[in-house]
Amino acid sequence: MFPSKFEYRRVASVDEAVSILSQEEDAKILAGGHSLIPLMKLRLASPELLVDITKIENMSYIREDDGEIAIGALTRHHALETSELLAREVPVLPAVAATVGDPAVRHCGTLGGTASHGDGASDLPAALLALDATFVAKGPKGERRIAAKDFFTGFLETALAPFEVLTEIRVPKGYRSYSFQKFNRRAQDWAIVGVVAVRNGTTNIGYVNMGVTPLRATAVEQQLASGASDDDAAAAAAAGLTPPSDINGSSEYRAHLAGVLVRRALSELG
Amino acid sequence: MRVEMKVNGVTRSAEVEDRTLLVHFIRDVLGLTGTNVGCDTSSCGACTVLVNGESVKSCTVLAAQVSGEEVTTIEGLAEPDGTLHPLQRAFQDNHALQCGYCTPGMVMASLSLINEHPNLDEKAVREGLEGNLCRCTGYHNIVKAVLAAQGEMGAKL
Ligand SMILES: Cc1cc2nc3c(=O)[nH]c(=O)nc-3n(C[C@H](O)[C@H](O)[C@H](O)COP(=O)(O)OP(=O)(O)OC[C@H]3O[C@@H](n4cnc5c(N)ncnc54)[C@H](O)[C@@H]3O)c2cc1C
Ligand code: FES
Ligand code: FES
């Protein structure tokens, strides 16, 4: 299998990428390629131009900045997994990153790529949503910041415009208590359902594969905030949600799993 | 477009279509057929090679993306006189292959794993090779081989 024909171009700066994306009709950013290239090989995507942003300098970093942790969009899953700063300040991110695909996938895939892809079945976007991350995007009119709750807008859709480049993801410090429950049946599989819980006074919960976008377990969070027991809160896990059905599980099965995994996550948070 | 990369220490360059996958560049353009295509969907790891020392699945990377980088394939491991790399010898000694189809990918993924982790135990080897499927061996002897090789390789890397 190979993709249909396209032109490949490398850019040296974000501005150059933005300028090409603003001018060309059918162009797409290429980062790690580990979502885009499989789609192109299956001919589910056939852009005419790929703009490779991975050679842009200084876009792969994890650092403290203004009381938050700033992560460059080109930071690979492997770098998240092995970051001492994250292990100390936002330990949920290395824990989640370490479960994405397998080591070879993690050597290629980027945080910016998985966020921009906006797949409800992906693990890291659900973690970013639970952490109330901020997404920094650059377009022809300059830079703007997008809150996680406004970022994931639909099936493989985000708030990014086609000519915008996601440059940085910012996460708050302080969520030291976390639990990640990824339920699958075989090594390296995607989550059938995943639950990312983080706590810093309040408890935030993100869902993997419970809808077309990453979701928050709003009903559970509200129950916990109003003093409900973990079991009562977990009973609301699927309230108001319509999880997908596929070969790995029916919608009902996912709703049931969500309750079980939320309860496990809450007991692990302690 | 023209791509140029160092493959097993030798600079190789060729005119290819922009859409050429790294695995096709390695097999069809360079004639290095040790790297196999199994699933062609980034699941099985038969196509694993090293890019700048790290494992990647070459069926899911464009040759263009790797232009200017260093690639190591299974053909790059043995000495020029044919002496096997310690990892290859460990696979042989531990009977870690049967049909051999997964083996080049297994060896390259194991090499990347050993380079990254100084002290692998059995669990870490099993988890580290989760992206490489073998339909023959049942994995036990592969794990044994990797553990045996890491002791021998030690400071050599
Ligand atoms: C075998 C396999 C198993 C996997 N398993 C998992 C798993 O268990 N869990 C999981 O969460 N994921 C999994 N993934 C997906 C993996 O995490 C991808 O690497 C990731 O989703 C995409 O990141 P990328 O850098 O490869 O993006 P690309 O594929 O390069 O890009 C993805 C999309 O985002 C756009 N884009 C990329 N970067 C930017 C940017 N900076 N600004 C704007 N747009 C951008 C691209 O145009 C494209 O539309 C798996 C992938 C494979 C191949
Ligand atoms: S052929 Fe590349 S992972 Fe199977
Ligand atoms: S030895 Fe046959 S697939 Fe592994």
Side-chain angles (χ1 to χ4, degrees):
Chain A
M1 290 190 299
F2 46 87
S4 54
K5 284 193 180 175
F6 60 82
E7 186 195 334
Y8 168 93
R9 252 190 263 174
R10 271 185 193 180
V11 292
S13 70
V14 173
D15 288 340
E16 192 186 347
V18 170
S19 135
I20 295 176
L21 292 165
S22 314
Q23 284 160 32
E24 302 284 341
E25 267 294 291
D26 195 13
K28 256 196 160 313
I29 291 175
L30 176 69
H34 269 48
S35 291
L36 188 51
I37 292 174
L39 283 178
M40 290 173 65
K41 286 174 70 177
L42 294 167
R43 311 279 171 118
L44 295 171
S46 5
E48 280 173 12
L49 174 66
L50 283 189
V51 181
D52 185 347
I53 60 170
T54 56
K55 312 295 169 193
I56 299 177
E57 281 182 22
N58 303 323
M59 238 168 90
S60 171
Y61 54 82
I62 304 168
R63 61 186 175 223
E64 299 199 59
D65 179 32
D66 209 7
E68 294 179 309
I69 302 294
I71 306 173
L74 290 179
T75 306
R76 293 172 203 268
H77 305 329
H78 176 71
L80 300 176
E81 188 187 345
T82 51
S83 159
E84 285 175 18
L85 179 60
L86 287 180
R88 202 165 61 235
E89 298 293 348
V90 200
V92 68
L93 284 182
V96 172
T99 74
V100 173
D102 57 63
V105 170
R106 301 196 288 273
H107 287 145
C108 293
T110 66
L111 186 61
T114 190
S116 307
H117 195 54
D119 188 346
S122 292
D123 303 305
L124 286 161
L128 296 175
L129 186 63
L131 287 165
D132 284 325
T134 306
F135 297 83
V136 184
K138 197 158 186 206
K141 292 193 195 118
E143 203 173 86
R144 67 180 180 124
R145 291 184 174 210
I146 308 160
K149 65 175 173 39
D150 303 320
F151 188 78
F152 302 105
T153 52
F155 178 65
L156 303 186
E157 291 283 337
T158 68
L160 294 172
F163 44 79
E164 277 183 314
V165 179
L166 177 63
T167 57
E168 186 177 271
I169 296 100
R170 302 178 67 87
V171 291
K173 297 202 283 190
Y175 286 105
R176 293 222 170 75
S177 171
Y178 75 91
S179 173
F180 179 44
Q181 304 289 329
K182 179 171 181 171
F183 190 87
N184 56 17
R185 292 201 185 89
R186 298 175 309 187
Q188 77 160 320
D189 264 356
W190 294 67
I192 297 174
V193 171
V195 169
V196 189
V198 293
R199 180 172 286 168
N200 178 20
T202 58
T203 305
N204 298 354
I205 298 173
Y207 275 145
V208 181
N209 221 353
M210 282 292 283
V212 294
T213 63
L215 294 170
R216 284 282 282 266
T218 316
V220 178
E221 292 178 3
Q222 280 166 358
Q223 293 264 342
L224 289 171
S226 60
S229 70
D230 286 358
D231 281 356
D232 286 348
L241 302 180
T242 327
S245 287
D246 57 31
I247 49 164
N248 288 315
S250 63
S251 186
E252 294 76 19
Y253 176 63
R254 281 197 165 82
H256 167 75
L257 259 184
V260 174
L261 298 177
V262 165
R263 204 167 55 235
R264 281 184 199 164
L266 292 176
S267 71
E268 203 173 277
L269 280 180
Chain B
M1 68 176 295
R2 179 150 286 271
V3 295
E4 181 175 305
M5 63 189 81
K6 219 174 217 186
V7 180
N8 302 329
V10 181
T11 302
R12 309 294 296 261
S13 133
E15 197 64 41
V16 297
E17 275 194 84
D18 294 21
R19 61 176 165 170
T20 307
L21 295 163
L22 179 59
V23 70
H24 296 148
F25 180 75
I26 291 170
R27 289 180 57 88
D28 304 342
V29 179
L30 303 184
L32 296 171
T33 52
T35 304
N36 288 332
V37 178
C39 65
D40 210 359
T41 56
S42 23
S43 306
C44 75
C47 65
T48 307
V49 300
L50 306 190
V51 174
N52 301 330
E54 294 181 333
S55 57
V56 306
K57 292 176 168 178
S58 61
C59 71
T60 310
V61 175
L62 301 171
Q65 287 175 285
V66 176
S67 190
E69 314 295 332
E70 289 193 22
V71 175
T72 312
T73 69
I74 190 72
E75 289 90 345
L77 293 197
E79 305 286 338
D81 69 359
T83 308
L84 294 182
H85 184 280
L87 196 51
Q88 292 173 304
R89 209 167 47 242
F91 267 63
Q92 192 177 52
D93 292 348
N94 289 279
H95 194 55
L97 58 148
Q98 288 175 30
C99 81
Y101 201 83
C102 70
T103 312
M106 278 294 177
V107 170
M108 299 317 285
S110 303
L111 187 55
S112 178
L113 188 67
I114 293 173
N115 286 343
E116 264 168 31
H117 302 275
N119 281 307
L120 292 162
D121 58 13
E122 184 190 331
K123 183 164 178 282
V125 173
R126 288 186 185 276
E127 284 176 1
L129 294 180
E130 69 177 326
N132 293 74
L133 303 183
C134 175
R135 303 308 302 268
C136 301
T137 64
Y139 301 101
H140 294 303
N141 288 350
I142 293 176
V143 176
K144 266 195 235 162
V146 176
L147 289 171
Q150 86 166 341
E152 207 178 317
M153 282 160 65
K156 189 169 175 281
L157 290 160

